[in-house]
Amino acid sequence: MDKELKIVICGGGSTYTPGIVKDLLDQRQKINIKELWLYDIDEERQNKVALIVKEVIKTEAPEVVLKVTVNPKEAFTDADYIMAQMRVGGLKMRVKDEQICLKHGCVGQETCGAGGMTYGMRTIYPMVQLIDYCEEYASKKYWIVNYSNPAAIVAKATYKLRPKARIINICDMPVEIEARMAEILDCKLEDIESDYFGLNHYGWFTHVRCKGVDVTDKLKEHVRKYGYVSEASMNDALLKDPDWVHTFKNSALISSMFTDYLPNTYWQYYLMPDSIVDYMDINNTRGMQVINGREKRIFKAAEDIREGKPVDLQQFYVGVHGKFIVKVVESLIHDERSRQLVIVPNNGAIENLSDDATVEIPGYVTDRGVEPVRVGSIPRFYKGLIEQQDACEGLLVEAAIEHSYEKALMAFTMNRTIPSSLVAKKLLDDMIEANKGYWPELK
Ligand code: G6P
Ligand code: MN
């Protein structure tokens, strides 16, 4: 019998928690979970989400023990696997990031542009602290599988500041796109295998295979016309959200201009920021939509449970987000060597990028971590874009470590979504003001 595991969700109060728990319990033949711990610094929020998680456990696997805590020592002592999904500053700060950017005429987005850099500044040290807790308290063979955004910046910072940490940084966007591809092709997601390179939220699919057959051209033809949207995909929960439909459709414009590869959806923010700013509404930002949608639904469900009313748990089981992180954990436990798209230090994988670039590429997940594949050289256009963005993210991490205002300004200036150093400075100054108490002090 496999070892009985203590699994911790860090950021227990997230709207994603019930979905992750469901997908985790679905795999308990392979993941011998004894205790599931929720950890968060926001006790009130986590307690609400915990009410729903209790229901999920009651229906799926009542033998699993649920513990809920705001005490890091309790949470991480002897922990085996830690799934991290912290949102530093909460959705309230997400909205501030978005609105400040839009006020200056720039893309107001959670992980891209000034919003992403601002969120990165908030998240670097809390992530480092999480690693330190795990080093101190957790099982010697702990693994952190990290979804916390902005993943590109967080990954870069953790690899730099805690190079020995047992952490794997991941993002569900590529696999969500693969799910759309499967719908377009009318096949199963498990049958899709991709070759991919880039940075997180900044990458390209170079080849896609379905059961080993190359389907890249077929997909390109579809995506050029319709984006990552098909009739079948309209039944997908994610595509019930107009904002996501807009995003998945925008890939049509990008893939008809740049035809070598299939784009990650996030290219819309970098390659067509003007059109995105026109589309965005400062009075109804994405963060506000999440507060009025996903978050409201989860709080309402918690209230209903408290009042003894029935709740439809299905509404929280959306997309492949939970399945993907659970699959990575399963691969770590069983040395499955499953092939996943992961965020790793480049170290030669993309031949003509520097070793310290933080790249998103395929890798095999073993019990010792990720064995990345070798990508080879990439063409000038893609290399140029990636080098600029990696420099931007690298400068931001250095700014946080060195407390350097000027490096932060360089990072903001380097970003494709910000048109000039003058706008960069205004944005940075407003972000510093809005993030008092969250950011390291810059001098
Ligand atoms: C995708 C990305 C995540 C991001 C999320 C935002 O899943 O990979 O990094 O956090 O989208 O979705 P939302 O619905 O909160 O705007
Ligand atoms: Mn992501």
Side-chain angles (χ1 to χ4, degrees):
M1 189 63 186
D2 295 334
K3 179 179 181 245
E4 289 187 322
L5 301 171
K6 171 173 176 178
I7 297 185
V8 185
I9 299 185
C10 170
S14 162
T15 56
Y16 288 114
T17 302
I20 292 181
V21 172
K22 161 79 162 90
D23 291 321
L24 186 62
L25 298 179
D26 275 351
Q27 296 308 316
R28 72 191 181 290
Q29 298 296 342
K30 290 189 171 165
I31 301 180
N32 189 16
I33 175 168
K34 184 178 174 217
E35 288 180 6
L36 173 67
W37 286 70
L38 303 186
Y39 168 73
D40 207 304
I41 57 170
D42 184 340
E43 187 166 23
E44 196 191 332
R45 184 186 177 98
Q46 176 166 258
N47 284 341
K48 289 183 191 168
V49 173
L51 287 171
I52 301 163
V53 170
K54 258 185 216 151
E55 289 301 302
V56 176
I57 293 182
K58 204 160 83 189
T59 10
E60 302 293 326
E63 69 282 7
V64 171
V65 178
L66 175 69
K67 306 256 189 176
V68 184
T69 185
V70 291
N71 178 331
K73 187 169 180 202
E74 254 179 39
F76 300 110
T77 296
D78 298 328
D80 296 292
Y81 296 90
I82 298 95
M83 301 196 236
Q85 45 159 358
M86 62 173 79
R87 181 183 285 285
V88 181
L91 287 163
K92 180 183 100 250
M93 289 306 286
R94 176 179 183 176
V95 172
K96 265 200 185 177
D97 294 345
E98 294 164 337
Q99 289 186 320
I100 291 172
C101 293
L102 289 167
K103 194 183 95 192
H104 290 283
C106 296
V107 170
Q109 213 274 332
E110 174 195 27
T111 64
C112 303
M117 288 185 280
T118 301
Y119 187 17
M121 275 289 198
R122 287 201 295 276
T123 312
I124 290 172
Y125 284 103
M127 269 309 297
V128 167
Q129 189 182 50
L130 167 63
I131 292 172
D132 291 348
Y133 285 146
C134 292
E135 288 283 331
E136 187 175 353
Y137 302 127
S139 138
K140 288 286 155 276
K141 293 190 153 186
Y142 79 86
W143 277 107
I144 301 170
V145 185
N146 183 46
Y147 259 148
S148 309
N149 264 328
I153 292 168
V154 166
K156 205 173 201 51
T158 58
Y159 296 141
K160 194 172 170 102
L161 291 167
R162 295 293 183 272
K164 295 202 175 108
R166 296 168 65 88
I167 182 167
I168 298 182
N169 292 289
I170 57 167
C171 162
D172 64 327
M173 193 73 252
V175 72
E176 279 292 355
I177 296 172
E178 288 179 335
R180 302 289 84 72
M181 291 174 174
E183 284 156 355
I184 293 166
L185 298 163
D186 194 18
C187 70
K188 291 203 199 98
L189 174 60
E190 300 79 71
D191 295 335
I192 299 275
E193 185 184 87
S194 311
D195 297 334
Y196 184 94
F197 75 84
L199 311 175
N200 175 239
H201 291 181
Y202 213 81
W204 304 88
F205 294 87
T206 56
H207 286 100
V208 183
R209 292 171 291 279
C210 177
K211 287 190 176 166
V213 177
D214 193 320
V215 289
T216 320
D217 287 341
K218 198 169 165 187
L219 279 170
K220 277 184 183 172
E221 207 178 300
H222 180 100
V223 177
R224 241 174 258 155
K225 281 194 200 134
Y226 311 107
Y228 293 108
V229 177
S230 62
E231 242 165 71
S233 67
M234 295 313 286
N235 295 321
D236 190 278
L238 209 60
L239 276 281
K240 300 266 184 274
D241 183 328
D243 226 51
W244 275 109
V245 176
H246 182 257
T247 295
F248 281 119
K249 278 190 177 161
N250 271 342
S251 297
L253 294 167
I254 291 163
S255 65
S256 45
M257 285 187 281
F258 308 108
T259 58
D260 292 325
Y261 312 126
L262 286 151
N264 187 304
T265 48
Y266 276 77
W267 280 108
Q268 66 176 351
Y269 301 114
Y270 296 102
L271 295 178
M272 38 193 280
D274 43 359
S275 136
I276 288 293
V277 171
D278 283 348
Y279 169 79
M280 284 178 161
D281 179 355
I282 197 165
N283 298 312
N284 185 27
T285 66
R286 181 66 200 162
M288 292 160 106
Q289 293 173 33
V290 173
I291 289 171
N292 295 322
R294 210 158 63 223
E295 188 180 63
K296 210 176 230 170
R297 282 198 298 279
I298 212 151
F299 289 169
K300 169 83 171 57
E303 209 177 292
D304 286 351
I305 292 170
R306 214 175 263 141
E307 290 170 6
K309 294 186 194 153
V311 161
D312 172 20
L313 295 173
Q314 292 301 323
Q315 63 180 308
F316 305 115
Y317 309 155
V318 174
V320 295
H321 180 272
K323 290 188 186 64
F324 179 46
I325 193 166
V326 169
K327 184 69 195 166
V328 173
V329 170
E330 189 189 306
S331 295
L332 285 166
I333 297 173
H334 296 292
D335 194 23
E336 271 180 6
R337 292 151 194 271
S338 71
R339 191 178 195 270
Q340 309 293 345
L341 300 174
V342 286
I343 306 164
V344 291
N346 185 37
N347 287 336
I350 303 177
E351 210 173 276
N352 52 349
L353 278 189
S354 74
D355 280 354
D356 69 351
T358 312
V359 295
E360 191 167 58
I361 52 175
Y364 291 88
V365 183
T366 77
D367 59 359
R368 291 160 289 107
V370 176
E371 285 178 8
V373 307
R374 197 173 171 285
V375 173
S377 286
I378 56 171
R380 195 186 295 276
F381 176 62
Y382 307 93
K383 176 174 182 278
L385 284 167
I386 287 172
E387 280 178 335
Q388 182 186 15
Q389 179 67 9
D390 190 61
C392 159
E393 289 164 358
L395 282 162
L396 190 92
V397 171
E398 285 173 18
I401 296 172
E402 296 165 23
H403 295 262
S404 165
Y405 177 90
E406 193 167 334
K407 283 211 170 159
L409 182 58
M410 287 173 176
F412 274 52
T413 303
M414 185 77 76
N415 196 280
R416 283 188 62 80
T417 68
I418 300 171
S420 95
S421 56
L422 300 175
V423 178
K425 185 165 186 337
K426 282 187 203 149
L427 266 168
L428 177 59
D429 291 343
D430 277 5
M431 291 303 192
I432 290 173
E433 186 60 33
N435 281 272
K436 286 218 171 96
Y438 285 113
W439 273 25
E441 202 193 332
L442 301 183
K443 290 183 212 104

